[in-house]
Amino acid sequence: MDKKNLRAEILEKRKNISREELEKKSSSIAKSLFSTDYYKRSNYIMAYIDFRNEVKTEEIIKTALKEGKNVVIPISVVENKQLILSQLFDYDKELEASTYGILEPKSEFVREIHPELIDLILVPGVAFDRRGYRIGYGGGYYDRFLSKIHKSVPKVALAFNIQITHHIKEGKYDIPVDYVITEDEIIKAKRIP
Ligand SMILES: Nc1nc2c(c(=O)[nH]1)N(C=O)[C@@H](CNc1ccc(C(=O)N[C@@H](CCC(=O)O)C(=O)O)cc1)CN2
Ligand SMILES: Nc1ncnc2c1ncn2[C@@H]1O[C@H](COP(=O)(O)OP(=O)(O)OP(=O)(O)O)[C@@H](O)[C@H]1O
């Protein structure tokens, strides 16, 4: 199946997850993340702010902040499809709906951070395969961003089971993630060299 149809098919399935299930599955994904070494070791986490029935990240962000970790979120720059990073201190106070309807920091709370500081990246997406390849919304924001990040920084996708697909044909800019955490398992990306 081509990328466009696969994207549409999975988005349709994800739309049908109830609020209750969304909360429950997201919470179990958060718990799995907390159990990993890369989460425990992290000090600067780049987290996305969920929209449109993505795995919710509110609990992850609030827990990480409580544990004294630094949390950084992306701001979309539409003109050049780049992501700017901003440090978040208070999830409930600092955010407002912005580009694409995604929550971003209000202007007075933008605190720009250099990408080199990041030591764990939580990646959103529409579909993933077990090698860590990904389909997003088609903007190329994360591929562009990840191309600037050192290979050693763990890239962890959060996804519901229904977002795991057999095979995604990789494009020339695609940067695979290292792990995909779902409500049922932690998939360590297997890539045949
Ligand atoms: N939570 C979250 N934040 C994120 C992303 C994400 O996937 N999830 N992104 C990941 O990159 C970036 C935003 N990317 C987006 C790209 C396109 C559309 C969008 O609405 N596209 C139109 C179709 C456009 C077209 O094809 O003409 C649509 O879906 O209706 C939304 C977000 C940055 N922040
Ligand atoms: N590193 C890059 N440099 C230049 N162009 C890029 C880069 N990464 C992606 N692109 C371009 O961005 C466009 C969208 O890419 P793609 O279809 O892979 O997006 P996606 O992964 O589905 O979306 P997103 O990353 O926004 O979730 C493509 O035209 C692609 O060529």
Side-chain angles (χ1 to χ4, degrees):
M1 203 183 328
D2 72 24
K3 213 161 156 168
K4 242 177 124 174
N5 285 315
L6 189 57
R7 182 186 287 126
E9 182 184 275
I10 292 190
L11 284 176
E12 181 59 31
K13 280 193 203 164
R14 200 179 66 182
K15 218 172 68 193
N16 292 326
I17 304 176
S18 70
R19 270 185 77 90
E20 205 185 354
E21 284 295 300
L22 216 68
E23 298 276 351
K24 219 166 77 186
K25 293 180 201 293
S26 295
S27 184
S28 115
I29 290 166
K31 301 283 177 323
S32 287
L33 174 68
F34 299 150
S35 77
T36 63
D37 286 338
Y38 41 86
Y39 172 80
K40 291 177 189 167
R41 277 200 292 265
S42 67
N43 181 39
Y44 265 91
I45 305 177
M46 174 182 175
Y48 67 88
I49 308 276
D50 59 276
F51 83 139
R52 298 187 189 160
N53 275 14
E54 289 174 333
V55 173
K56 296 174 74 57
T57 52
E58 183 174 348
E59 177 183 350
I60 294 170
I61 291 171
K62 288 182 170 175
T63 303
L65 287 171
K66 246 186 235 153
E67 290 175 347
K69 294 181 190 282
N70 297 288
V71 174
V72 162
I73 60 171
I75 298 173
S76 303
V77 183
V78 183
E79 293 70 30
N80 56 4
K81 300 272 186 355
Q82 302 274 350
L83 297 176
I84 290 176
L85 300 181
S86 179
Q87 181 155 15
L88 183 74
F89 291 138
D90 189 327
Y91 187 99
D92 293 322
K93 246 182 45 194
E94 297 177 358
L95 302 175
E96 67 180 4
S98 182
T99 315
Y100 306 119
I102 302 171
L103 294 174
E104 289 185 353
K106 299 174 194 165
S107 56
E108 65 267 40
F109 297 118
V110 173
R111 307 173 190 101
E112 204 172 331
I113 289 292
H114 281 112
E116 306 84 74
L117 285 170
I118 301 303
D119 55 17
L120 174 63
I121 303 180
L122 304 180
V123 181
V126 175
F128 297 90
D129 69 16
R130 302 184 78 86
R131 302 175 305 157
Y133 281 97
R134 155 178 183 282
I135 296 176
Y137 281 101
Y141 285 90
Y142 273 84
D143 291 323
R144 244 175 236 103
F145 177 78
L146 294 174
S147 71
K148 300 184 298 191
I149 296 289
H150 197 269
K151 292 200 299 308
S152 62
V153 177
K155 299 177 282 297
V156 181
L158 309 180
F160 301 115
N161 272 334
I162 52 128
Q163 294 175 258
I164 307 299
T165 179
H166 177 61
H167 187 82
I168 290 171
K169 196 165 172 291
E170 65 260 38
K172 80 168 174 209
Y173 294 118
D174 292 351
I175 303 202
V177 299
D178 305 300
Y179 299 90
V180 185
I181 305 185
T182 77
E183 66 272 36
D184 287 343
E185 59 180 331
I186 298 179
I187 299 168
K188 183 165 172 18
K190 280 219 164 47
R191 291 189 282 276
I192 295 117

